[in-house]
Amino acid sequence: MSDQLPQGATIGILGGGQLGRMLSVAASRLGLRTHVFEPGANPPAGHVADAVTTASYEDHDALAEFAASVDVITYEFENIPTAALDVLQELRPIRPGREALRVSQDRLTEKTFLTDLGLRTAPFADITDADSLAAALEVIGTPAILKTRRFGYDGKGQARILGPEDAAKALEDMRGAPAILEGFVEFSCEVSVIAARSADGSVACFDPGENIHREGILRTTTVPARLSGKQRTDAVLLAAQILNALNYVGVMGVELFVTPQGLLVNEMAPRVHNSGHWTQNGCTIDQFEQHIRAVANWPLGDGSRYADVQMENLIGDDLDRLPELAREADTAIHLYGKGAVKAGRKMGHVNRIIRG
Ligand SMILES: Nc1ncnc2c1ncn2[C@@H]1O[C@H](COP(=O)(O)OP(=O)(O)O)[C@@H](O)[C@H]1O
Ligand SMILES: [Mg+2]
């Protein structure tokens, strides 16, 4: 294992959104530099990073130049093209490693990986056409959700099937993309575990947060989640199991459904996660610093929770509430510096300390 990255070393971050931005801020607090690679113009992370490369993931010369300028490479999103990773990997370590990306880029691969580990998920089936969908609906039943295997986020690329009559329209909604059918889980709540693993194999998990989604988008995360002691232990242990199986280095978000029959894994994200933003104001070391520490080969920090917190996403027009939010007591505002407000676009979030 190589040494702890020293002051002035540079972390390369693939993706320049708000997660890359908050990773850059955390890195700078530790005396580390960041270089962001992002195809889009004026990325939120670019406002705070030390350097930005604006180029496409198909531009292999730009990728090679970027890699040569950094000490280690991490990322804020999982859909990095394989060919780009091939170029980068030759030049610098990529943390978390490629196995985590391979598994989490595709919902079918991901669910197969999880069930092979002995973890439980919603019932699922690979869908390639109308016949396989009809056959899967026979077994899984309704309600069910058809999802594209790749590139889905914030509930995009999903269609609900309440009865067999919805099947044809749902398949049409996939626009020919490979898909997976999932049985609808009657969960009592959704929680997520933000877990970290360092190169020496230490694992640390933040306290699970309880998530409320609206229209497929995360609205709030609240800690502590309403979980029994056993459920909390189960949640943390299963997250650790996933990280160990992948020989993972960095922070991962694991989304879970809580049901009377136990915990089901919904999905995992090999990166810092929106449902972990509360850690910025509830823990000594937040998820962003924890990720930077792991990637930079530092020891993991103390992520124990010292406050009850509710994180609320500011989506689209929510930003109009900024004057009132700025006057609220016990409320920390985190804005992403995004120019255009669009419906469904994450503009920022607030963390409210909950006092009993
Ligand atoms: N099988 C399912 N059963 C019940 N609800 C689901 C299921 N799959 C997804 N959902 C709901 O939709 C939300 C978004 O789905 P998810 O698979 O996490 O996709 P995304 O990648 O868009 O976050 C989940 O957080 C959950 O509220
Ligand atoms: Mg999700």
Side-chain angles (χ1 to χ4, degrees):
M1 195 174 93
S2 57
D3 290 336
Q4 194 168 319
L5 270 195
Q7 297 286 287
T10 303
I11 297 182
I13 302 176
L14 302 171
Q18 64 267 21
L19 300 178
R21 176 182 175 104
M22 292 184 277
L23 284 169
S24 285
V25 170
S28 76
R29 279 202 314 265
L30 299 181
L32 299 166
R33 295 168 188 273
T34 54
H35 183 164
V36 165
F37 189 100
E38 162 65 48
N42 190 25
H47 310 163
V48 298
D50 294 88
V52 186
T53 295
T54 308
S56 109
Y57 287 102
E58 273 84 61
D59 185 342
H60 291 184
D61 292 337
L63 283 168
E65 217 171 287
F66 163 79
S69 79
V70 304
D71 295 283
V72 59
I73 296 167
T74 189
Y75 43 87
E76 60 138 35
F77 76 116
E78 49 274 37
N79 292 315
I80 306 154
T82 304
L85 293 166
D86 289 342
V87 173
L88 297 167
Q89 179 178 272
E90 287 303 307
L91 296 160
R92 291 294 182 269
I94 301 175
R95 299 185 190 130
R98 292 196 55 180
E99 183 61 4
L101 284 168
R102 187 187 69 78
V103 167
S104 61
Q105 279 181 347
D106 179 324
R107 293 187 194 278
L108 182 65
T109 315
E110 180 175 86
K111 287 217 163 44
T112 307
F113 163 78
L114 291 165
T115 52
D116 285 351
L117 273 184
L119 302 175
R120 291 195 296 157
T121 66
F124 63 94
D126 183 15
I127 304 301
T128 45
D129 53 19
D131 287 348
S132 53
L133 179 54
L137 282 169
E138 287 282 319
V139 179
I140 290 174
T142 54
I145 308 185
L146 192 62
K147 302 181 181 179
T148 56
R149 282 172 57 178
R150 294 179 56 109
F151 306 118
Y153 71 98
D154 286 348
K156 293 183 172 57
Q158 301 194 7
R160 302 229 165 165
I161 301 182
L162 301 179
E165 66 281 3
D166 295 337
K169 168 79 171 61
L171 196 57
E172 226 177 271
D173 286 352
M174 300 297 108
R175 298 158 190 256
I180 177 175
L181 184 74
E182 291 183 20
F184 194 85
V185 177
E186 296 291 346
F187 52 78
S188 56
C189 68
E190 289 189 81
V191 299
S192 53
V193 179
I194 308 301
R197 188 172 179 278
S198 61
D200 69 6
S202 320
V203 174
C205 297
F206 292 98
D207 200 6
E210 183 169 336
N211 301 324
I212 308 265
H213 294 85
R214 214 189 302 150
E215 287 155 10
I217 307 182
L218 182 68
R219 298 310 298 213
T220 61
T221 301
T222 307
V223 279
R226 287 168 298 169
L227 291 174
S228 66
K230 178 179 184 309
Q231 286 170 327
R232 188 158 294 156
T233 308
D234 286 351
V236 163
L237 288 177
L238 78 78
Q241 198 185 339
I242 294 171
L243 268 60
N244 286 334
L246 294 167
N247 200 17
Y248 195 83
V249 177
V251 162
M252 171 183 280
V254 182
E255 298 179 16
L256 304 170
F257 296 134
V258 182
T259 78
Q261 293 75 42
L263 300 175
L264 269 53
V265 184
N266 173 28
E267 60 172 353
M268 55 197 235
R271 52 173 168 78
V272 287
H273 197 258
N274 193 171
S275 67
H277 291 359
W278 67 268
T279 60
Q280 292 172 309
N281 299 96
C283 304
T284 306
I285 305 300
D286 68 19
Q287 64 163 347
F288 301 101
E289 176 170 339
Q290 198 70 299
H291 185 76
I292 295 294
R293 278 175 171 251
V295 165
N297 239 329
W298 288 37
L300 295 181
D302 180 359
S304 47
R305 185 173 64 78
Y306 55 66
D308 293 1
V309 188
Q310 182 168 72
M311 187 283 309
E312 181 193 354
N313 270 334
L314 303 178
I315 298 169
D317 293 344
D318 289 344
L319 210 56
D320 296 345
R321 287 164 39 214
L322 190 55
E324 297 118 75
L325 293 169
R327 268 186 235 108
E328 263 185 41
D330 282 339
T331 299
I333 298 173
H334 300 262
L335 299 180
Y336 308 151
K338 292 183 183 174
V341 178
K342 281 188 219 140
R345 190 172 198 206
K346 291 176 180 167
M347 306 303 294
H349 65 276
V350 294
N351 287 328
R352 293 192 175 89
I353 306 299
I354 307 167
R355 305 209 188 256

Short mmCIF file of all heavy atoms in Angstrom, two decimals, residues 221-224 277-283 305-312 330 350-355:
data_model
loop_
_atom_site.label_atom_id
_atom_site.label_comp_id
_atom_site.label_asym_id
_atom_site.label_seq_id
_atom_site.Cartn_x
_atom_site.Cartn_y
_atom_site.Cartn_z
N THR A 221 -33.71 13.61 3.98
CA THR A 221 -33.09 12.51 4.72
C THR A 221 -33.07 12.94 6.18
O THR A 221 -32.68 14.07 6.48
CB THR A 221 -31.65 12.24 4.27
OG1 THR A 221 -31.67 11.91 2.88
CG2 THR A 221 -31.02 11.08 5.06
N THR A 222 -33.51 12.04 7.06
CA THR A 222 -33.58 12.37 8.48
C THR A 222 -32.79 11.36 9.29
O THR A 222 -32.91 10.15 9.05
CB THR A 222 -35.06 12.37 8.95
OG1 THR A 222 -35.81 13.21 8.07
CG2 THR A 222 -35.20 12.87 10.38
N VAL A 223 -31.98 11.86 10.21
CA VAL A 223 -31.28 10.98 11.16
C VAL A 223 -31.66 11.39 12.57
O VAL A 223 -31.75 12.58 12.85
CB VAL A 223 -29.75 11.06 11.03
CG1 VAL A 223 -29.26 10.22 9.88
CG2 VAL A 223 -29.26 12.48 10.92
N PRO A 224 -31.88 10.46 13.49
CA PRO A 224 -31.81 9.03 13.24
C PRO A 224 -33.03 8.53 12.45
O PRO A 224 -34.10 9.11 12.54
CB PRO A 224 -31.82 8.44 14.66
CG PRO A 224 -32.54 9.45 15.49
CD PRO A 224 -32.21 10.78 14.90
N HIS A 277 -25.73 13.86 2.73
CA HIS A 277 -25.37 15.28 2.90
C HIS A 277 -25.56 15.76 4.35
O HIS A 277 -24.90 16.70 4.78
CB HIS A 277 -26.20 16.16 1.96
CG HIS A 277 -25.87 16.00 0.51
ND1 HIS A 277 -24.88 15.15 0.06
CD2 HIS A 277 -26.40 16.57 -0.61
CE1 HIS A 277 -24.82 15.22 -1.27
NE2 HIS A 277 -25.73 16.06 -1.69
N TRP A 278 -26.44 15.12 5.09
CA TRP A 278 -26.66 15.52 6.50
C TRP A 278 -25.38 15.43 7.32
O TRP A 278 -25.23 16.14 8.31
CB TRP A 278 -27.75 14.64 7.13
CG TRP A 278 -27.34 13.19 7.28
CD1 TRP A 278 -27.56 12.18 6.39
CD2 TRP A 278 -26.64 12.61 8.38
NE1 TRP A 278 -27.01 11.01 6.84
CE2 TRP A 278 -26.44 11.25 8.07
CE3 TRP A 278 -26.14 13.11 9.58
CZ2 TRP A 278 -25.77 10.37 8.93
CZ3 TRP A 278 -25.47 12.23 10.43
CH2 TRP A 278 -25.30 10.89 10.10
N THR A 279 -24.44 14.58 6.89
CA THR A 279 -23.21 14.39 7.67
C THR A 279 -22.39 15.68 7.75
O THR A 279 -21.58 15.84 8.65
CB THR A 279 -22.33 13.27 7.07
OG1 THR A 279 -21.97 13.61 5.71
CG2 THR A 279 -23.07 11.93 7.05
N GLN A 280 -22.62 16.60 6.81
CA GLN A 280 -21.87 17.87 6.82
C GLN A 280 -22.10 18.65 8.11
O GLN A 280 -21.25 19.41 8.53
CB GLN A 280 -22.30 18.75 5.64
CG GLN A 280 -21.88 18.20 4.29
CD GLN A 280 -22.48 18.98 3.16
OE1 GLN A 280 -23.69 19.21 3.12
NE2 GLN A 280 -21.66 19.40 2.21
N ASN A 281 -23.31 18.49 8.68
CA ASN A 281 -23.63 19.25 9.89
C ASN A 281 -23.97 18.37 11.08
O ASN A 281 -24.36 18.88 12.13
CB ASN A 281 -24.76 20.24 9.59
CG ASN A 281 -24.36 21.23 8.51
OD1 ASN A 281 -24.66 21.04 7.34
ND2 ASN A 281 -23.61 22.24 8.88
N GLY A 282 -23.81 17.05 10.92
CA GLY A 282 -24.15 16.14 12.01
C GLY A 282 -22.98 15.32 12.52
O GLY A 282 -23.12 14.55 13.46
N CYS A 283 -21.82 15.46 11.86
CA CYS A 283 -20.67 14.61 12.20
C CYS A 283 -19.38 15.44 12.16
O CYS A 283 -19.29 16.42 11.42
CB CYS A 283 -20.51 13.48 11.18
SG CYS A 283 -21.98 12.45 11.00
N ARG A 305 -22.20 10.39 14.86
CA ARG A 305 -23.19 11.47 14.73
C ARG A 305 -23.36 12.17 16.07
O ARG A 305 -23.56 11.50 17.08
CB ARG A 305 -24.52 10.85 14.28
CG ARG A 305 -25.63 11.82 13.99
CD ARG A 305 -26.82 11.10 13.39
NE ARG A 305 -27.42 10.15 14.32
CZ ARG A 305 -28.22 10.49 15.33
NH1 ARG A 305 -28.51 11.75 15.55
NH2 ARG A 305 -28.72 9.55 16.11
N TYR A 306 -23.28 13.52 16.08
CA TYR A 306 -23.46 14.24 17.34
C TYR A 306 -24.74 15.06 17.36
O TYR A 306 -24.99 15.78 18.31
CB TYR A 306 -22.24 15.12 17.66
CG TYR A 306 -21.83 16.10 16.59
CD1 TYR A 306 -22.66 17.17 16.24
CD2 TYR A 306 -20.62 15.97 15.92
CE1 TYR A 306 -22.29 18.07 15.27
CE2 TYR A 306 -20.24 16.89 14.95
CZ TYR A 306 -21.09 17.93 14.62
OH TYR A 306 -20.72 18.82 13.65
N ALA A 307 -25.54 15.00 16.31
CA ALA A 307 -26.79 15.77 16.31
C ALA A 307 -27.85 15.02 15.51
O ALA A 307 -27.51 14.19 14.66
CB ALA A 307 -26.56 17.15 15.70
N ASP A 308 -29.12 15.32 15.81
CA ASP A 308 -30.20 14.86 14.94
C ASP A 308 -30.32 15.90 13.83
O ASP A 308 -30.26 17.09 14.09
CB ASP A 308 -31.52 14.78 15.72
CG ASP A 308 -31.48 13.70 16.80
OD1 ASP A 308 -30.44 13.03 16.94
OD2 ASP A 308 -32.50 13.51 17.49
N VAL A 309 -30.48 15.42 12.61
CA VAL A 309 -30.46 16.35 11.46
C VAL A 309 -31.53 15.96 10.46
O VAL A 309 -31.80 14.77 10.26
CB VAL A 309 -29.08 16.29 10.73
CG1 VAL A 309 -28.99 17.39 9.66
CG2 VAL A 309 -27.91 16.41 11.68
N GLN A 310 -32.12 16.96 9.82
CA GLN A 310 -32.90 16.68 8.62
C GLN A 310 -32.29 17.46 7.46
O GLN A 310 -32.12 18.68 7.53
CB GLN A 310 -34.37 17.08 8.79
CG GLN A 310 -35.16 16.71 7.53
CD GLN A 310 -36.65 16.80 7.73
OE1 GLN A 310 -37.19 17.89 7.83
NE2 GLN A 310 -37.31 15.66 7.80
N MET A 311 -31.97 16.72 6.40
CA MET A 311 -31.48 17.33 5.16
C MET A 311 -32.69 17.49 4.24
O MET A 311 -33.47 16.56 4.07
CB MET A 311 -30.45 16.40 4.51
CG MET A 311 -29.71 16.92 3.32
SD MET A 311 -30.56 16.97 1.71
CE MET A 311 -31.21 15.32 1.52
N GLU A 312 -32.85 18.68 3.68
CA GLU A 312 -33.90 18.90 2.69
C GLU A 312 -33.26 19.37 1.40
O GLU A 312 -32.51 20.35 1.39
CB GLU A 312 -34.91 19.95 3.18
CG GLU A 312 -36.03 20.20 2.18
CD GLU A 312 -36.88 21.45 2.47
OE1 GLU A 312 -36.69 22.10 3.51
OE2 GLU A 312 -37.73 21.75 1.61
N ASP A 330 -30.65 27.32 13.27
CA ASP A 330 -30.18 25.93 13.23
C ASP A 330 -30.22 25.32 11.83
O ASP A 330 -30.42 24.11 11.69
CB ASP A 330 -31.01 25.05 14.18
CG ASP A 330 -30.59 25.23 15.63
OD1 ASP A 330 -29.45 25.69 15.85
OD2 ASP A 330 -31.38 24.91 16.52
N VAL A 350 -30.46 22.06 2.44
CA VAL A 350 -30.24 22.62 3.78
C VAL A 350 -30.17 21.47 4.77
O VAL A 350 -30.81 20.42 4.58
CB VAL A 350 -31.36 23.60 4.22
CG1 VAL A 350 -31.36 24.84 3.35
CG2 VAL A 350 -32.73 22.95 4.22
N ASN A 351 -29.37 21.66 5.79
CA ASN A 351 -29.32 20.71 6.91
C ASN A 351 -29.85 21.42 8.14
O ASN A 351 -29.31 22.44 8.55
CB ASN A 351 -27.87 20.25 7.16
CG ASN A 351 -27.38 19.31 6.08
OD1 ASN A 351 -28.16 18.54 5.52
ND2 ASN A 351 -26.09 19.36 5.79
N ARG A 352 -30.94 20.87 8.69
CA ARG A 352 -31.53 21.47 9.89
C ARG A 352 -31.20 20.61 11.09
O ARG A 352 -31.45 19.40 11.08
CB ARG A 352 -33.05 21.53 9.78
CG ARG A 352 -33.56 22.46 8.73
CD ARG A 352 -35.06 22.69 8.88
NE ARG A 352 -35.49 23.69 7.90
CZ ARG A 352 -35.88 23.39 6.65
NH1 ARG A 352 -35.93 22.14 6.25
NH2 ARG A 352 -36.22 24.35 5.82
N ILE A 353 -30.64 21.24 12.10
CA ILE A 353 -30.39 20.52 13.35
C ILE A 353 -31.73 20.41 14.08
O ILE A 353 -32.46 21.40 14.20
CB ILE A 353 -29.37 21.30 14.22
CG1 ILE A 353 -28.09 21.58 13.43
CG2 ILE A 353 -29.08 20.54 15.51
CD1 ILE A 353 -27.35 20.36 12.94
N ILE A 354 -32.06 19.20 14.51
CA ILE A 354 -33.33 18.98 15.21
C ILE A 354 -33.03 18.93 16.69
O ILE A 354 -32.24 18.07 17.14
CB ILE A 354 -33.98 17.64 14.78
CG1 ILE A 354 -34.09 17.58 13.25
CG2 ILE A 354 -35.35 17.47 15.41
CD1 ILE A 354 -34.43 16.19 12.73
N ARG A 355 -33.59 19.84 17.43
CA ARG A 355 -33.36 19.83 18.89
C ARG A 355 -34.61 19.28 19.56
O ARG A 355 -35.72 19.66 19.23
CB ARG A 355 -33.06 21.23 19.39
CG ARG A 355 -31.89 21.84 18.62
CD ARG A 355 -31.10 22.82 19.40
NE ARG A 355 -30.13 23.47 18.52
CZ ARG A 355 -28.84 23.20 18.50
NH1 ARG A 355 -28.33 22.29 19.30
NH2 ARG A 355 -28.03 23.83 17.68
#
